[in-house]
Amino acid sequence: MNVLVINAGSSSLKYQLFNMDTEKILAKGNCDRIGLDGHLKHKPVSNDKPVFDSPIPLPTHAEAIAAVIAKLTSDEYGVIDCLSEINAVGHRVVHGGRKFSSSVLIDQEVIAALEDCIRLAPLHIPANLMGINACRESMPNVPMVAVFDTAFHHTIPESAYVYPIPYKYFEENNIRRYGFHGTSHRYVSALAINELGGNAEGTKIITCHLGNGASLAAIKDGMSIDTTMGVTPLEGVPMGTRSGSVDPSIVDIIAAIENCSLKDAMDVLNKKSGVLGIYGKSSDFRDIETAAGIDISNGNPKPDADVDKKAALALDVFSYQVAKFIGSYIVSLGGLDALVFTAGIGENSPYIRRAICSRLNGIGIKINETVNAVRVSEFLDITGDDSIAKVFTIPTDEELVIARDTIEIVAP
């Protein structure tokens, strides 16, 4: 069976087509600038057909889906003969609220429930719905599944998900910790459990999904018991442009300083903060490490390099906050069997991994500096001698999780 995985943003649509008999990718691509001038990059993977990478009119998500189907089935760029070879579609949905604790087959009741979640994720759910509706229009007879970023974290206990604010906001308005990156935390923790012997019971794992968006999860017996992101993806560790956890009064203070609305002040925390806010020039960790005098290929300082102090500070703030959450989660778990790094920074920044783990030496977490000094594309054990826990770097594959869930639901 072939499963098309869709990740729709407000002006973008990423996709991968899987052959689930082999779990191999047949094709992947990205529609950018939807509603503007439009651009499509389509890459066949299962054959030697050329890549399509060109501007194309994409006024709405419906045209984007039509363009994707056209490329997947075309003589020149295609990997399947016709639309009927797409057996199911799996959609990444950012927020499932309190209702969805697992992936579900999409019907009108699910659509209505997602519309109720818009106030919890106003930037994401409308875009997810546009992708879902466009696919339903283009492929009305193809079953579709919603896979939620928040679902994996529904096992978090009440003491961890209830905020210390008036309880009525939880009861009446569903304000609680939800957490995100659930498909990633779920995927890499399962691989870590397998490496630890294959039995989830008794395992204590911390997963660090470190990318432009970053979150950590404490995973006990294979289930999430705490995570850094909250009711929105703003809470937790500093990120590319997001502040992470700060004094809530900062919102009021920024609004007063800038003479702006609370919404505009929140935009500062979401779009102009994090490592970008400190460094001031870029949110890309490769740029920041380079400015801080780091060789990004191995994470080592460059001899006699000029060091931008703000870039170095941004890296220090980030690594300190991640290490601080790791320490607190070791307390929550009652120990640690494995620490996992994943996502763009976690997989590709030897410097960040070392900077975080060096702060954990005092509690016995150590890495092998030689093994760590690589950018990886596969599972890597970077555990040092006498470390109290294993340290792994595991490439994440959220799209494969979505495809697997979709098959499990439509063809059990």
Side-chain angles (χ1 to χ4, degrees):
M1 292 183 69
N2 295 329
V3 173
L4 179 62
V5 173
I6 297 292
N7 181 357
S10 58
S11 62
S12 66
L13 188 146
K14 298 177 182 178
Y15 65 93
Q16 291 189 15
L17 181 66
F18 286 87
N19 177 338
M20 291 308 292
D21 296 328
T22 61
E23 293 194 341
K24 300 297 185 183
I25 299 171
L26 301 179
K28 60 183 178 180
N30 188 18
C31 298
D32 276 324
R33 300 182 64 79
I34 299 172
L36 302 172
D37 47 356
H39 187 276
L40 170 61
K41 181 175 183 179
H42 168 83
K43 181 180 181 180
V45 176
S46 62
N47 56 37
D48 57 1
K49 291 184 178 179
V51 173
F52 179 89
D53 189 0
S54 181
I56 182 174
L58 299 173
T60 71
H61 283 70
E63 283 82 7
I65 289 294
V68 169
I69 293 171
K71 289 295 176 286
L72 289 171
T73 58
S74 73
D75 291 336
E76 186 175 1
Y77 303 101
V79 293
I80 56 176
D81 293 329
C82 58
L83 179 59
S84 63
E85 292 184 42
I86 298 176
N87 304 107
V89 181
H91 292 269
R92 180 198 179 206
V93 180
V94 168
H95 213 307
R98 290 173 67 182
K99 184 176 179 64
F100 298 110
S101 59
S102 61
S103 303
V104 295
L105 189 69
I106 296 172
D107 56 20
Q108 279 306 124
E109 184 179 347
V110 170
I111 295 292
L114 290 179
E115 290 171 346
D116 287 340
C117 286
I118 288 176
R119 63 187 178 79
L120 295 175
L123 299 178
H124 297 92
I125 295 297
N128 297 156
L129 284 169
M130 284 190 284
I132 291 169
N133 290 329
C135 285
R136 295 180 86 198
E137 290 173 10
S138 299
M139 297 173 274
N141 299 316
V142 177
M144 303 198 182
V145 171
V147 180
F148 302 94
D149 277 12
T150 51
F152 180 64
H153 299 301
H154 268 256
T155 52
I156 291 175
E158 192 174 27
S159 57
Y161 72 65
V162 168
Y163 286 113
I165 59 176
Y167 195 70
K168 68 175 184 177
Y169 293 118
F170 167 65
E171 290 183 303
E172 300 172 12
N173 307 105
N174 298 323
I175 303 301
R176 54 156 284 180
R177 180 179 309 281
Y178 288 101
F180 298 88
H181 297 137
T183 51
S184 178
H185 290 296
R186 174 179 154 199
Y187 178 78
V188 299
S189 63
L191 292 179
I193 288 169
N194 186 63
E195 189 70 16
L196 293 172
N199 185 8
E201 186 176 356
T203 56
K204 301 169 183 177
I205 298 169
I206 297 172
T207 50
C208 305
H209 178 105
L210 307 181
N212 193 55
S215 68
L216 280 65
I219 300 171
K220 190 171 187 177
D221 302 325
M223 296 180 291
S224 177
I225 66 164
D226 204 352
T227 189
T228 53
M229 285 180 168
V231 68
T232 76
L234 180 59
E235 190 179 359
V237 298
M239 304 171 224
T241 66
R242 298 179 193 140
S243 65
S245 298
V246 295
D247 185 335
S249 295
I250 286 178
V251 178
D252 257 344
I253 294 169
I254 290 174
I257 291 171
E258 302 293 342
N259 192 26
C260 66
S261 67
L262 292 180
K263 180 182 181 301
D264 288 339
M266 287 300 299
D267 280 346
V268 172
L269 297 189
N270 272 296
K271 300 175 181 178
K272 300 177 181 179
S273 298
V275 293
L276 170 65
I278 298 171
Y279 174 44
K281 299 176 182 177
S282 175
S283 63
D284 190 312
F285 274 71
R286 293 166 296 188
D287 296 340
I288 300 171
E289 288 182 23
T290 299
I294 304 300
D295 183 340
I296 64 172
S297 68
N298 56 29
N300 294 324
K302 294 179 180 178
D304 303 321
D306 291 332
V307 175
D308 185 301
K309 291 183 178 180
K310 289 183 180 178
L313 177 61
L315 297 175
D316 281 348
V317 169
F318 179 80
S319 62
Y320 170 73
Q321 291 293 333
V322 173
K324 184 170 72 171
F325 273 105
I326 290 170
S328 69
Y329 283 173
I330 292 174
V331 174
S332 299
L333 291 165
L336 185 66
D337 296 313
L339 175 65
V340 179
F341 292 100
T342 193
I345 299 163
E347 295 168 29
N348 294 298
S349 176
Y351 174 80
I352 289 295
R353 294 194 298 261
R354 186 174 67 241
I356 292 168
C357 290
S358 67
R359 296 179 182 275
L360 302 171
N361 280 342
I363 56 175
I365 295 174
K366 301 175 183 178
I367 60 172
N368 183 311
E369 296 283 0
T370 302
V371 179
N372 178 63
V374 296
R375 301 162 68 92
V376 301
S377 58
E378 57 187 20
F379 186 104
L380 190 66
D381 185 339
I382 61 173
T383 310
D385 292 339
D386 302 322
S387 179
I388 63 162
K390 290 287 188 179
V391 185
F392 301 136
T393 299
I394 305 178
T396 192
D397 197 337
E398 296 170 271
E399 290 78 12
L400 180 57
V401 174
I402 294 170
R404 285 174 174 171
D405 275 16
T406 299
I407 281 294
E408 185 176 339
I409 287 173
V410 304

